[in-house]
Amino acid sequence: MSFFEEDKAAKRELAEQKVKNAGVLGKWVTVMFWLQILTLVTEVLTGDTMKGISLYVYYFGVISGYVLMVVNSIILVRLKKVEDWFGKAGVCYLVSGLGGVMVALLDMSKAEALSTLLMILFLILQIRGNYDECTGYEIVLRDADFKLSQKWALQWILEMVCSIGIIVSIVLCGIGLGVGVLPFTIIGGFLMLLLMIAGFVVGILRLIYLYRTAETFREYEPEDVTVE
């Protein structure tokens, strides 16, 4: 086999692998899109209003949210064969999700100080998972849809800002309530309210990008090679 024939065979093999990966991504990113929809439902159940109405429904929402995170993380680990960044994100989310269930149980047991500390630690781990997941989308989309790829690069920054802001607001509220400094409590509460609104907008953006990513790979077609 000549050099040109070997080069042609290598290009064909690469194209076939891209088509195969696109099929896998189209399928599982669609599933993660619907999981994200369910996650938004659990966030409604875990709002302060619902906590005042029914603690059972509230804690059901909390635990369900973490269970959905675990399922999502398992899918990301499966996608490691397509892009290694997805596997890293899956591990981070898995640990954070399992730890979140423990935090919810501690909170139900009135161990609020310990549950708050662990929640902050798992939020930090979730930030790392967000970075890994968004980087994975950025990489796999570079050849398929570069503009969407760049939007995922920005998405992780927005999610990081929201997550860090939540951590800061929790710390401020904790200091304010623990030491009795009212301004800290007010600032922390106001910041958390703003972050809830920002988080909702960022969550909608994630939904849009997930849908467009799934659609991109479901409709992916090779340029030069027809795969039988």
Side-chain angles (χ1 to χ4, degrees), residues 12-23 25 143 217 220 222:
R12 179 181 179 83
E13 183 179 351
L14 178 61
E16 290 175 345
Q17 187 61 47
K18 285 184 177 181
V19 174
K20 182 179 178 181
N21 289 343
L25 288 166
D143 294 332
F217 287 114
Y220 179 82

Side-chain angles (χ1 to χ4, degrees), residues 53-194:
I53 297 174
S54 173
L55 283 177
Y56 292 106
V57 175
Y58 171 80
Y59 285 116
F60 171 78
V62 171
I63 294 175
S64 296
Y66 284 118
V67 170
L68 288 172
M69 184 185 293
V70 170
V71 175
N72 191 75
S73 69
I74 292 172
I75 294 175
L76 284 168
V77 170
R78 287 175 59 92
L79 290 178
K80 180 180 180 180
K81 61 183 179 181
V82 176
E83 173 53 52
D84 191 56
W85 284 101
F86 290 133
K88 297 176 182 179
V91 172
C92 289
Y93 288 152
L94 185 60
V95 175
S96 181
L98 293 174
V101 174
M102 181 175 65
V103 168
L105 294 175
L106 286 172
D107 194 34
M108 293 172 66
S109 303
K110 306 301 181 182
E112 296 180 357
L114 180 58
S115 67
T116 300
L117 177 60
L118 290 175
M119 182 174 65
I120 291 174
L121 293 176
F122 291 129
L123 270 174
I124 294 173
L125 186 61
Q126 189 174 334
I127 292 173
R128 174 55 200 254
N130 286 347
Y131 170 75
D132 293 337
E133 182 185 3
C134 292
T135 301
Y137 291 131
E138 180 192 354
I139 291 174
V140 297
L141 282 164
R142 281 177 183 169
D143 294 332
D145 189 332
F146 185 74
K147 289 184 178 179
L148 183 56
S149 169
Q150 295 305 106
K151 288 179 180 178
W152 275 112
L154 176 62
Q155 179 69 13
W156 102 262
I157 296 176
L158 297 176
E159 293 181 356
M160 177 190 66
V161 170
C162 288
S163 297
I164 292 177
I166 289 174
I167 293 174
V168 172
S169 66
I170 290 174
V171 172
L172 287 174
C173 288
I175 294 174
L177 293 174
V179 183
V181 181
L182 184 59
F184 277 24
T185 306
I186 295 175
I187 293 173
F190 182 70
L191 179 61
M192 187 169 291
L193 177 61
L194 289 178

